[in-house]
């Protein structure tokens, strides 16, 4: 069969990337907007602790998806994906309207609307990993990398939007001291107001999520019917995202479900054992995927402010934005050069852990880490965050690309590994950052490292 036109192929990649953009954009948007909403909500800066717990509880979304698979066997992923996207769009829109509404609970004011909607969005985002990834088993591996490119944008775009908004702008101005024991002139932090409100921010996020949902509908229209399955890129075929019964009928014509060598014009699998979900290779890949997500989604984000803010807010903003940019760049690299060696992936993971260990050391030594107050310190901390994020992003994309040859069950297992790893990382760091004084935050406009 003839390959589809280049324009259709590019459009499909675009729709897959926009589809992936909607996976975690809602929760990522809430995280970057915390400096703004904490000014008005009664919980103040204890709100991040609440948010960490709610995102962890969002893993109940996995149970809901499992229940759906039990009660509606053979229905595929289309309906759960549409439910997840609907919850994300509606929840973010309601957040734009109700985020600053408070209500009394046990005699104290709490941001009930904000916390409730955050929990709903966490359910949707956590469920996306075990619905979006299995859907992509119908597409060849190159489209999986486009999906992770879009997933990287789900972190980058909210960060860029927050920077445009002017989140966290602060200047230290000299002012007369109120006490008589210290110097007569002290530096006092002056916070600048944002260029637009949190309500506007959440409306923009709603538009991005709506775009992602529309891209999924466009993707369904672009995918061929089961009676006409064109080939893409030297024999890679696009399957049809329909019911489980349709998947079983297509197993004989889809090379994604066939062992290597049975179809002459299909690309060979990098490893025949990849088709066995419970092989030692697959188990190693899933374990490595869980560990990398525990670090990137749970451990390291919890200490980013502690490791960066001692070097200044510029260092913090550069680390956040450039670190988020490293994710899509790693996806582009994986499209050109994909590491298929398990030893190579372990080596890259060790390299990422080296940068992560350096960042964790800086966080533990906060507010006086090495090279504080120097340009070299700023360069090192920003570069470490960028390289750490880039290396781990590449490893995650490579692992999912290798698991793709195992079909839908392997990608479903990958989604579960991602969520379990993220949950364990968050649970590990919550007491260290919120209960025990392991990490010390830096105070604005104060020299805490002087003699």
């Amino acid at each position: 069969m003839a390959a589809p036109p280049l324009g259709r192929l590019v459009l499909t990649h675009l729709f897959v990337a926009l589809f992936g953009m909607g996976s975690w954009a809602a929760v990522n948007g809430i995280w970057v907007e915390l400096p703004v909403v904490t000014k008005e909500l009664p919980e103040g800066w204890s709100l991040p602790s609440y948010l960490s717990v709610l995102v962890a509880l969002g893993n109940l979304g996995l149970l809901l998806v499992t229940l759906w698979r039990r009660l509606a066997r053979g229905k595929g992923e289309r309906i759960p994906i549409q439910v997840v996207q609907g919850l994300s769009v509606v929840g973010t829109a309601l957040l734009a309207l109700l985020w600053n509404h408070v209500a009394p609970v046990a005699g104290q004011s709490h941001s009930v609307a904000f916390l409730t909607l955050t929990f709903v969005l966490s359910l949707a985002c956590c469920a996306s990993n075990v619905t979006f990834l299995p859907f992509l088993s119908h597409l060849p591996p190159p489209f999986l990398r486009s999906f992770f490119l879009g997933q990287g944008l789900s972190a980058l775009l909210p960060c860029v939007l927050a920077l445009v908004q002017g989140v966290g702008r602060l200047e230290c101005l000299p002012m007369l001291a109120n006490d008589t024991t210290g110097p007569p002139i002290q530096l006092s932090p002056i916070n600048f107001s944002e260029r637009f409100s949190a309500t506007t921010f959440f409306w923009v996020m709603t538009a991005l999520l709506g775009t992602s949902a529309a891209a999924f509908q466009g993707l369904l229209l672009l995918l061929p019917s089961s009676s006409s399955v064109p080939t893409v890129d030297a024999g890679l075929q696009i399957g049809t995202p329909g019911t489980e019964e349709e998947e079983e009928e297509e197993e004989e014509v889809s090379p994604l479900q066939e062992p290597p060598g049975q179809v002459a014009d299909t690309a060979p699998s990098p490893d025949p054992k990849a088709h066995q979900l419970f092989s030692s290779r697959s188990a190693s890949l899933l374990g490595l995927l869980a560990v990398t997500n525990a670090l990137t989604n749970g451990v390291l984000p919890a200490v980013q402010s502690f490791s960066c803010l001692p070097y200044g807010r510029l260092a913090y903003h550069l680390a956040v934005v450039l670190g988020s940019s490293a994710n899509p760049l790693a996806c582009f690299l994986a499209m050109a050069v994909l590491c298929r060696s398990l030893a190579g992936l372990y080596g890259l993971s060790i390299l990422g852990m080296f940068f992560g260990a350096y960042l964790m050391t800086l966080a533990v030594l906060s507010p006086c880490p090495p090279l504080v107050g120097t340009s070299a310190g700023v360069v090192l901390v920003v570069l470490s965050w960028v390289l750490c994020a880039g290396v781990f992003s590449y490893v995650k994309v490579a692992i999912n690309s290798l698991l793709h040859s195992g079909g839908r069950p392997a990608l479903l297992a990958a989604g579960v590994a991602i969520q379990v790893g993220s949950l364990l990382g968050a649970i590990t760091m919550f007491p260290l950052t919120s209960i025990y004084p392991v990490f010390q935050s830096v105070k604005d406009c104060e020299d805490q490292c002087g003699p």
Side-chain angles (χ1 to χ4, degrees):
M1 297 182 182
L6 179 61
R8 174 171 177 165
L9 188 61
V10 172
L11 187 61
T12 305
H13 276 286
L14 176 62
F15 281 167
V16 170
L18 292 175
F19 169 52
M21 180 188 69
S23 57
W24 277 89
V27 169
N28 289 333
I30 293 174
W31 272 112
V32 300
E33 195 65 3
L34 280 180
V36 179
V37 299
T38 50
K39 296 177 183 178
E40 296 189 34
L41 297 182
E43 290 82 3
W45 274 109
S46 63
L47 201 59
S49 299
Y50 285 90
L51 185 56
S52 298
V53 173
L54 291 174
V55 172
L57 291 175
N59 284 280
L60 292 172
L62 276 69
L63 300 179
L64 296 178
V65 173
T66 302
L67 182 63
W68 157 263
R69 296 185 192 281
R70 293 289 184 184
L71 297 180
R73 293 181 180 274
K75 295 297 183 181
E77 282 80 29
R78 186 179 308 186
I79 293 177
I81 288 174
Q82 291 171 336
V83 171
V84 166
Q85 291 180 325
L87 283 176
S88 298
V89 173
V90 174
T92 311
L94 290 175
L95 205 56
L97 297 171
L98 305 173
W99 70 269
N100 56 353
H101 286 232
V102 299
V105 177
Q108 293 183 338
S109 294
H110 285 282
S111 48
V112 176
F114 181 85
L115 295 174
T116 302
L117 291 171
T118 297
F119 174 66
V120 172
L121 292 174
S122 298
L123 285 174
C125 290
C126 291
S128 69
N129 280 335
V130 291
T131 52
F132 289 16
L133 279 176
F135 173 83
L136 293 173
S137 65
H138 305 285
L139 300 172
F143 292 97
L144 187 65
R145 294 157 211 165
S146 296
F147 171 82
F148 280 101
L149 171 65
Q151 198 171 61
L153 294 178
S154 73
L156 176 61
L157 293 182
C159 290
V160 172
L161 182 60
L163 286 180
V164 173
Q165 184 185 18
V167 171
R169 288 191 302 157
L170 176 144
E171 186 175 349
C172 298
L173 298 178
M175 300 184 67
L176 290 174
N178 294 327
D179 54 52
T180 58
T181 57
I185 303 296
Q186 294 181 348
L187 293 178
S188 179
I190 303 297
N191 290 288
F192 293 94
S193 59
E194 290 75 28
R195 296 185 180 94
F196 52 85
S197 66
T199 298
T200 303
F201 177 91
F202 288 127
W203 278 124
V204 175
M205 293 303 303
T206 302
L208 289 177
L209 291 167
T211 301
S212 176
F216 177 66
Q217 298 305 314
L219 186 61
L220 293 179
L221 295 176
L222 278 180
L223 293 180
S225 62
S226 57
S227 60
S228 174
V229 184
T231 59
V232 181
D233 283 344
L236 290 176
Q237 292 183 336
I238 298 180
T240 305
T243 64
E244 299 288 338
E245 291 86 347
E246 291 173 342
E247 291 177 16
E248 293 175 1
E249 292 174 2
E250 292 172 15
E251 283 183 356
E252 295 183 357
V253 297
S254 173
L256 295 180
Q257 303 296 332
E258 292 178 349
Q262 284 193 6
V263 181
D265 61 345
T266 60
S269 170
D271 188 347
K273 292 183 180 180
H275 293 277
Q276 302 173 11
L277 180 57
F278 298 105
S279 67
S280 59
R281 177 181 173 85
S282 295
S284 298
L285 290 173
L286 291 171
L288 186 58
L289 186 63
V291 171
T292 54
N293 279 277
L295 293 173
T296 57
N297 298 341
V299 175
L300 293 176
V303 300
Q304 186 165 37
S305 60
F306 297 103
S307 66
C308 293
L309 284 178
Y311 299 95
R313 288 185 176 255
L314 176 61
Y316 176 71
H317 288 311
L318 287 175
V320 170
V321 175
L322 296 180
S324 299
S325 303
N327 192 315
L329 290 177
C331 295
F332 277 119
L333 179 61
M335 290 180 181
V337 181
L338 184 65
C339 177
R340 302 180 183 275
S341 166
L342 189 59
L345 293 176
Y346 272 107
L348 289 173
S349 299
I350 292 174
L351 178 62
M353 290 178 188
F354 171 78
F355 292 116
Y358 174 72
L359 296 170
M360 185 65 70
T361 302
L362 296 182
V364 172
L365 296 177
S366 177
C368 299
L371 301 177
V372 66
T374 66
S375 299
V378 174
V379 171
L380 280 176
V381 70
V382 173
L383 190 61
S384 295
W385 272 108
V386 172
L387 293 176
C388 184
V391 169
F392 279 132
S393 296
Y394 180 87
V395 170
K396 288 189 286 186
V397 174
I399 291 174
N400 281 279
S401 297
L402 296 179
L403 289 173
H404 184 281
S405 56
R408 178 178 171 276
L411 289 181
L412 177 61
V416 173
I418 290 172
Q419 285 307 121
V420 171
S422 303
L423 176 61
L424 293 177
I427 291 176
T428 301
M429 294 306 296
F430 178 75
L432 299 179
T433 56
S434 303
I435 300 176
Y436 303 108
V438 177
F439 305 98
Q440 302 294 326
S441 59
V442 65
K443 296 180 181 178
D444 293 323
C445 303
E446 289 188 19
D447 183 9
Q448 297 174 264
C449 304

